[in-house]
Amino acid sequence: PLVESGGGSVQSGGSLRLSCGVSGYTRLYFLGWFRQAPGKEREAVATIGPYNDYYYQPAVKGRFTVSQDNARSTLYLQMTSLKPDDSAMYYCASDTTGAARYSPLDPRQYNAWGQGTQVTVNS
């Protein structure tokens, strides 16, 4: 399973760090963070591939940093300079089949998902 933590409420310009515990998978290709705001589609935030290749949505590049521990048992998302538009439910996801290699920011390529953690940025 994938278990997220670290969400909460923060003022605009603030920072938060999300964590995702990853366990129970014999094969992991891509790991990533996605988000979904009310009335909007789920979108990628940042993902990491099997060769430590990183992918970011343009809206968060330079503000968010995705990382993982050496064992790929924990995925992190450091978020800085947060904006109200960053408010959403944030989900951790994994690709256990390799499907995401052609589209690492496409949520449809990820087959395992956590329950999500809410991030609210107040203006």
Side-chain angles (χ1 to χ4, degrees), residues 4 9 16 22 27 31 34 49 52 56 58 64 91-92 104 108 110:
E4 303 97 336
S9 185
L16 277 175
V22 182
R27 285 198 175 191
L31 287 170
F34 298 79
N52 271 331
Y56 290 91
F64 292 10
Y91 298 92
C92 176
R108 297 171 298 178
Y110 291 75

Side-chain angles (χ1 to χ4, degrees), residues 57-75:
Q57 184 207 110
V60 307
K61 204 166 186 179
R63 299 189 297 123
F64 292 10
T65 302
V66 63
S67 62
Q68 61 187 355
D69 65 3
N70 288 340
R72 304 197 88 188
S73 62
T74 308
L75 183 71

Side-chain angles (χ1 to χ4, degrees), residues 35-121:
R35 66 187 181 187
Q36 187 167 19
K40 294 188 177 182
E41 291 188 358
R42 190 169 296 189
E43 63 178 5
V45 177
T47 65
I48 304 179
Y51 305 109
N52 271 331
D53 39 325
Y54 297 80
Y55 304 87
Y56 290 91
Q57 184 207 110
V60 307
K61 204 166 186 179
R63 299 189 297 123
F64 292 10
T65 302
V66 63
S67 62
Q68 61 187 355
D69 65 3
N70 288 340
R72 304 197 88 188
S73 62
T74 308
L75 183 71
Y76 302 98
L77 184 68
Q78 179 68 48
M79 304 185 292
T80 64
S81 302
L82 282 160
K83 306 174 183 179
D85 282 351
D86 295 318
S87 297
M89 185 71 79
Y90 281 69
Y91 298 92
C92 176
S94 67
D95 159 36
T96 63
T97 68
R101 64 190 182 278
Y102 299 119
S103 299
L105 293 175
D106 183 353
R108 297 171 298 178
Q109 309 307 323
Y110 291 75
N111 60 314
W113 293 84
Q115 294 298 307
T117 185
Q118 179 68 40
V119 171
T120 302
V121 184

